[in-house]
Short mmCIF file of all heavy atoms in Angstrom, two decimals:
data_model
loop_
_atom_site.label_atom_id
_atom_site.label_comp_id
_atom_site.label_asym_id
_atom_site.label_seq_id
_atom_site.Cartn_x
_atom_site.Cartn_y
_atom_site.Cartn_z
N LEU A 1 -0.57 -6.38 -5.88
CA LEU A 1 -0.97 -5.90 -4.49
C LEU A 1 -0.58 -7.07 -3.43
O LEU A 1 -0.20 -6.59 -2.26
CB LEU A 1 -2.41 -5.57 -4.47
CG LEU A 1 -2.78 -4.31 -5.26
CD1 LEU A 1 -4.23 -4.10 -5.49
CD2 LEU A 1 -2.12 -2.99 -4.67
N LEU A 2 -0.86 -8.13 -3.70
CA LEU A 2 -0.61 -9.21 -2.68
C LEU A 2 0.99 -9.26 -2.44
O LEU A 2 1.23 -9.50 -1.16
CB LEU A 2 -1.05 -10.58 -3.27
CG LEU A 2 -0.97 -11.85 -2.19
CD1 LEU A 2 -1.72 -11.51 -0.94
CD2 LEU A 2 -1.41 -13.08 -2.80
N ASN A 3 1.81 -9.16 -3.41
CA ASN A 3 3.10 -9.17 -3.20
C ASN A 3 3.61 -7.95 -2.24
O ASN A 3 4.42 -8.19 -1.29
CB ASN A 3 3.90 -9.00 -4.50
CG ASN A 3 3.91 -10.23 -5.35
OD1 ASN A 3 3.35 -11.28 -4.97
ND2 ASN A 3 4.47 -10.20 -6.50
N ILE A 4 2.99 -6.76 -2.58
CA ILE A 4 3.31 -5.58 -1.56
C ILE A 4 2.77 -5.83 -0.16
O ILE A 4 3.54 -5.61 0.92
CB ILE A 4 2.70 -4.31 -2.15
CG1 ILE A 4 3.30 -4.10 -3.59
CG2 ILE A 4 3.01 -3.15 -1.23
CD1 ILE A 4 2.63 -2.93 -4.31
N VAL A 5 1.58 -6.32 -0.11
CA VAL A 5 0.91 -6.59 1.32
C VAL A 5 1.72 -7.65 2.11
O VAL A 5 1.86 -7.64 3.19
CB VAL A 5 -0.47 -6.87 1.18
CG1 VAL A 5 -1.08 -7.20 2.50
CG2 VAL A 5 -1.25 -5.62 0.61
N ARG A 6 2.08 -8.71 1.32
CA ARG A 6 2.80 -9.77 1.96
C ARG A 6 4.17 -9.32 2.43
O ARG A 6 4.59 -9.60 3.56
CB ARG A 6 3.08 -10.97 1.06
CG ARG A 6 3.69 -12.16 1.68
CD ARG A 6 3.87 -13.32 0.65
NE ARG A 6 2.51 -14.03 0.48
CZ ARG A 6 1.94 -14.19 -0.64
NH1 ARG A 6 2.50 -13.73 -1.79
NH2 ARG A 6 0.90 -14.74 -0.75
N ASN A 7 4.85 -8.42 1.70
CA ASN A 7 6.14 -7.81 2.02
C ASN A 7 6.00 -6.91 3.34
O ASN A 7 6.70 -6.99 4.15
CB ASN A 7 6.58 -7.00 0.93
CG ASN A 7 7.95 -6.38 1.16
OD1 ASN A 7 9.05 -6.94 1.01
ND2 ASN A 7 7.91 -5.13 1.60
N ALA A 8 4.76 -6.29 3.45
CA ALA A 8 4.53 -5.44 4.57
C ALA A 8 4.30 -6.38 5.86
O ALA A 8 4.90 -6.04 6.95
CB ALA A 8 3.29 -4.56 4.35
N TRP A 9 3.59 -7.42 5.61
CA TRP A 9 3.30 -8.35 6.80
C TRP A 9 4.66 -9.01 7.31
O TRP A 9 4.97 -8.99 8.46
CB TRP A 9 2.36 -9.48 6.36
CG TRP A 9 2.46 -10.63 7.23
CD1 TRP A 9 2.28 -10.54 8.59
CD2 TRP A 9 2.51 -12.04 6.74
NE1 TRP A 9 2.45 -11.92 8.97
CE2 TRP A 9 2.51 -12.77 7.99
CE3 TRP A 9 2.60 -12.57 5.54
CZ2 TRP A 9 2.67 -14.19 7.94
CZ3 TRP A 9 2.73 -13.99 5.54
CH2 TRP A 9 2.72 -14.79 6.67
N GLN A 10 5.49 -9.31 6.25
CA GLN A 10 6.72 -10.04 6.67
C GLN A 10 7.67 -8.96 7.42
O GLN A 10 8.47 -9.31 8.16
CB GLN A 10 7.43 -10.62 5.44
CG GLN A 10 6.68 -11.85 4.98
CD GLN A 10 7.18 -12.25 3.50
OE1 GLN A 10 7.97 -11.49 2.79
NE2 GLN A 10 6.84 -13.37 3.17
N ALA A 11 7.48 -7.63 7.02
CA ALA A 11 8.37 -6.68 7.67
C ALA A 11 7.81 -6.32 9.12
O ALA A 11 8.70 -6.06 10.03
CB ALA A 11 8.33 -5.45 6.82
N THR A 12 6.53 -6.36 9.27
CA THR A 12 6.01 -5.94 10.68
C THR A 12 6.16 -7.06 11.64
O THR A 12 6.30 -6.80 12.91
CB THR A 12 4.60 -5.61 10.52
OG1 THR A 12 3.81 -6.65 9.93
CG2 THR A 12 4.42 -4.31 9.52
N GLY A 13 6.09 -8.32 11.29
CA GLY A 13 6.17 -9.39 12.25
C GLY A 13 4.90 -9.53 13.09
O GLY A 13 3.83 -9.05 12.68
N ALA A 14 5.05 -10.02 14.26
CA ALA A 14 3.94 -10.17 15.11
C ALA A 14 3.20 -8.88 15.65
O ALA A 14 3.96 -7.89 15.81
CB ALA A 14 4.28 -10.93 16.45
N ARG A 15 1.93 -8.87 15.65
CA ARG A 15 1.18 -7.63 16.10
C ARG A 15 1.46 -6.49 15.14
O ARG A 15 1.41 -5.32 15.57
CB ARG A 15 1.44 -7.35 17.53
CG ARG A 15 0.91 -8.39 18.52
CD ARG A 15 1.02 -7.79 19.98
NE ARG A 15 2.37 -7.64 20.39
CZ ARG A 15 3.30 -8.45 20.71
NH1 ARG A 15 2.97 -9.72 20.85
NH2 ARG A 15 4.53 -8.25 21.01
N GLY A 16 1.75 -6.64 13.95
CA GLY A 16 1.84 -5.68 12.95
C GLY A 16 0.58 -5.03 12.45
O GLY A 16 -0.55 -5.86 12.59
N GLU A 17 0.64 -3.90 11.98
CA GLU A 17 -0.65 -3.26 11.48
C GLU A 17 -0.43 -2.75 10.11
O GLU A 17 0.70 -2.17 9.87
CB GLU A 17 -1.07 -2.01 12.38
CG GLU A 17 -1.52 -2.43 13.73
CD GLU A 17 -2.02 -1.25 14.58
OE1 GLU A 17 -2.44 -0.23 13.91
OE2 GLU A 17 -2.26 -1.53 15.67
N ILE A 18 -1.36 -2.99 9.20
CA ILE A 18 -1.28 -2.70 7.83
C ILE A 18 -2.61 -1.78 7.51
O ILE A 18 -3.68 -2.16 7.85
CB ILE A 18 -1.22 -3.84 6.90
CG1 ILE A 18 0.11 -4.54 7.06
CG2 ILE A 18 -1.32 -3.42 5.36
CD1 ILE A 18 0.24 -5.83 6.21
N THR A 19 -2.40 -0.75 6.69
CA THR A 19 -3.55 0.08 6.35
C THR A 19 -3.56 0.07 4.78
O THR A 19 -2.67 0.33 4.11
CB THR A 19 -3.44 1.55 6.85
OG1 THR A 19 -3.40 1.53 8.33
CG2 THR A 19 -4.53 2.25 6.37
N LEU A 20 -4.75 -0.25 4.27
CA LEU A 20 -5.01 -0.12 2.75
C LEU A 20 -5.75 1.15 2.60
O LEU A 20 -6.99 1.23 3.09
CB LEU A 20 -5.78 -1.32 2.32
CG LEU A 20 -5.30 -2.80 2.75
CD1 LEU A 20 -6.12 -3.88 2.21
CD2 LEU A 20 -3.79 -2.91 2.19
N ARG A 21 -5.34 1.99 1.70
CA ARG A 21 -5.86 3.28 1.54
C ARG A 21 -5.98 3.74 -0.02
O ARG A 21 -5.03 3.28 -0.74
CB ARG A 21 -5.08 4.41 2.22
CG ARG A 21 -5.61 5.82 2.03
CD ARG A 21 -4.71 6.91 2.55
NE ARG A 21 -4.52 6.71 4.00
CZ ARG A 21 -3.48 7.14 4.53
NH1 ARG A 21 -2.53 7.80 4.12
NH2 ARG A 21 -3.45 7.11 5.92
N THR A 22 -7.19 4.20 -0.38
CA THR A 22 -7.28 4.59 -1.82
C THR A 22 -7.70 6.03 -1.89
O THR A 22 -8.42 6.43 -1.08
CB THR A 22 -8.34 3.70 -2.44
OG1 THR A 22 -9.69 3.83 -1.82
CG2 THR A 22 -8.04 2.28 -2.47
N ARG A 23 -7.27 6.64 -2.95
CA ARG A 23 -7.54 8.12 -3.08
C ARG A 23 -7.44 8.28 -4.66
O ARG A 23 -6.84 7.60 -5.47
CB ARG A 23 -6.55 9.00 -2.45
CG ARG A 23 -6.58 9.01 -0.96
CD ARG A 23 -7.90 9.56 -0.33
NE ARG A 23 -7.87 9.65 1.10
CZ ARG A 23 -8.28 8.74 1.82
NH1 ARG A 23 -8.73 7.67 1.37
NH2 ARG A 23 -8.26 8.84 3.22
N VAL A 24 -8.22 9.40 -5.02
CA VAL A 24 -7.95 9.92 -6.50
C VAL A 24 -6.93 10.95 -6.57
O VAL A 24 -6.97 11.83 -5.63
CB VAL A 24 -9.32 10.46 -6.96
CG1 VAL A 24 -9.23 11.05 -8.40
CG2 VAL A 24 -10.40 9.34 -7.02
N ARG A 25 -6.06 11.03 -7.55
CA ARG A 25 -5.06 12.03 -7.70
C ARG A 25 -5.47 12.60 -9.10
O ARG A 25 -5.72 11.91 -10.06
CB ARG A 25 -3.73 11.45 -7.72
CG ARG A 25 -3.27 10.85 -6.32
CD ARG A 25 -1.82 10.77 -6.27
NE ARG A 25 -1.50 10.26 -4.98
CZ ARG A 25 -0.27 10.06 -4.46
NH1 ARG A 25 0.74 10.49 -5.25
NH2 ARG A 25 0.04 9.51 -3.24
N ARG A 26 -5.25 13.94 -9.13
CA ARG A 26 -5.71 14.71 -10.37
C ARG A 26 -4.45 15.28 -10.98
O ARG A 26 -3.52 15.58 -10.23
CB ARG A 26 -6.59 15.83 -9.97
CG ARG A 26 -7.91 15.35 -9.41
CD ARG A 26 -8.79 16.48 -9.10
NE ARG A 26 -10.07 16.07 -8.35
CZ ARG A 26 -11.16 15.58 -8.86
NH1 ARG A 26 -11.14 15.40 -10.15
NH2 ARG A 26 -12.24 15.21 -8.14
N GLN A 27 -4.44 15.33 -12.25
CA GLN A 27 -3.27 15.85 -13.04
C GLN A 27 -2.00 15.34 -12.66
O GLN A 27 -1.00 15.97 -12.23
CB GLN A 27 -3.24 17.40 -12.96
CG GLN A 27 -4.59 18.08 -13.27
CD GLN A 27 -4.99 17.89 -14.70
OE1 GLN A 27 -4.20 17.37 -15.60
NE2 GLN A 27 -6.20 18.25 -15.08
N TYR A 28 -1.98 13.84 -12.70
CA TYR A 28 -0.73 13.18 -12.25
C TYR A 28 0.13 12.74 -13.37
O TYR A 28 -0.42 12.19 -14.45
CB TYR A 28 -1.12 11.96 -11.44
CG TYR A 28 -0.12 11.50 -10.49
CD1 TYR A 28 -0.01 11.93 -9.22
CD2 TYR A 28 0.86 10.45 -11.01
CE1 TYR A 28 0.88 11.46 -8.32
CE2 TYR A 28 1.78 9.97 -10.14
CZ TYR A 28 1.87 10.52 -8.86
OH TYR A 28 2.91 9.97 -7.98
N THR A 29 1.44 12.99 -13.32
CA THR A 29 2.28 12.61 -14.28
C THR A 29 2.99 11.21 -14.16
O THR A 29 3.53 11.01 -13.14
CB THR A 29 3.48 13.70 -14.44
OG1 THR A 29 2.95 14.94 -14.75
CG2 THR A 29 4.37 13.21 -15.63
N LEU A 30 2.84 10.46 -15.17
CA LEU A 30 3.52 8.98 -15.11
C LEU A 30 4.27 8.74 -16.45
O LEU A 30 3.56 8.89 -17.59
CB LEU A 30 2.38 7.89 -14.99
CG LEU A 30 1.76 7.81 -13.57
CD1 LEU A 30 0.35 7.06 -13.65
CD2 LEU A 30 2.72 7.17 -12.51
N GLY A 31 5.45 8.47 -16.26
CA GLY A 31 6.25 8.16 -17.47
C GLY A 31 6.28 9.16 -18.56
O GLY A 31 6.23 8.94 -19.73
N GLY A 32 6.18 10.48 -18.15
CA GLY A 32 6.27 11.66 -18.95
C GLY A 32 4.87 11.95 -19.56
O GLY A 32 4.78 12.93 -20.35
#
């Protein structure tokens, strides 16, 4: 997660905004 957030920060530059959001997903398919 830190790698992703750091990547977002480096992409936005000065005065960037990042949102961390969590949700539950039901009946989700992963890797078959």
Side-chain angles (χ1 to χ4, degrees):
L1 289 168
L2 184 59
N3 286 0
I4 300 172
V5 173
R6 183 178 287 124
N7 182 80
W9 162 49
Q10 292 168 346
T12 56
R15 294 189 297 277
E17 294 189 12
I18 294 175
T19 299
L20 306 178
R21 177 187 298 160
T22 60
R23 293 291 186 269
V24 174
R25 297 199 183 185
R26 302 181 187 277
Q27 305 298 345
Y28 200 91
T29 302
L30 286 166

